[in-house]
Amino acid sequence: MPLSAQLADEPGQYIGTGQGIESGPFESRINVTVLPNGAIAIDYEAISAEVGPLHFEHTILAPGPDGRDRLYVAHSETPFVSEMVETEPNSRRFVQAAPFGPYTMEIVIETPEKGRITYAWWWASVGEPPVEQSKADASLAS
């Protein structure tokens, strides 16, 4: 089942924790909202008790005409929106549609069980394989 369809069945606020190579531990909040035409809004926040806000993101997850979901990501680390495309249908690994800048980026979104989501950012300098840098693990709030 496509991620967009699965998340449409489980909208709401997901609360959890995370860990980042650079940031250390953080609290995460992921809001999942159903939009028209099978699209999903994902609002993701990572906040550190010691540092404060680490990452804010508004993403649109949308089904594509080729069976692969797409992400359109507006986040706090860049001044532009990134388009990311699923590597293959239902893989839940999204890569940059057109790489740019000094980093190669990927996002991996998984749903290990009903009411739970993991959201991981992978990146590396251009020419290097991306590695997981930050991952949130959150559960649907009651």
Side-chain angles (χ1 to χ4, degrees), residues 19-24 26 120-125 129-135:
Q19 181 71 32
I21 291 174
E22 295 174 355
S23 66
F26 59 85
W121 273 88
W122 294 55
W123 72 81
S125 296
V131 296
E132 185 178 284
Q133 301 282 346
S134 176
K135 183 175 186 176

Side-chain angles (χ1 to χ4, degrees), residues 11 72 100 121:
Y72 301 92
F100 50 84
W121 273 88

Side-chain angles (χ1 to χ4, degrees), residues 35 41 65 70 76 112 135:
L35 302 174
R70 272 120 171 104
S76 53
K135 183 175 186 176

Side-chain angles (χ1 to χ4, degrees), residues 35-101:
L35 302 174
N37 298 327
I40 302 294
I42 300 172
D43 291 292
Y44 169 46
E45 299 176 346
I47 301 168
S48 163
E50 291 82 32
V51 180
L54 298 170
H55 177 84
F56 291 90
E57 165 183 331
H58 178 75
T59 294
I60 303 296
L61 168 65
D66 60 357
R68 298 183 299 162
D69 279 344
R70 272 120 171 104
L71 295 177
Y72 301 92
V73 186
H75 60 95
S76 53
E77 284 79 20
T78 62
F80 44 82
V81 173
S82 300
E83 179 187 11
M84 303 182 92
V85 179
E86 207 170 18
T87 55
E88 57 186 66
N90 303 320
S91 70
R92 297 166 186 228
R93 178 176 293 275
F94 298 84
V95 299
Q96 292 170 290
F100 50 84

Side-chain angles (χ1 to χ4, degrees), residues 52 77 108-109 138:
E77 284 79 20
V108 178
I109 305 171

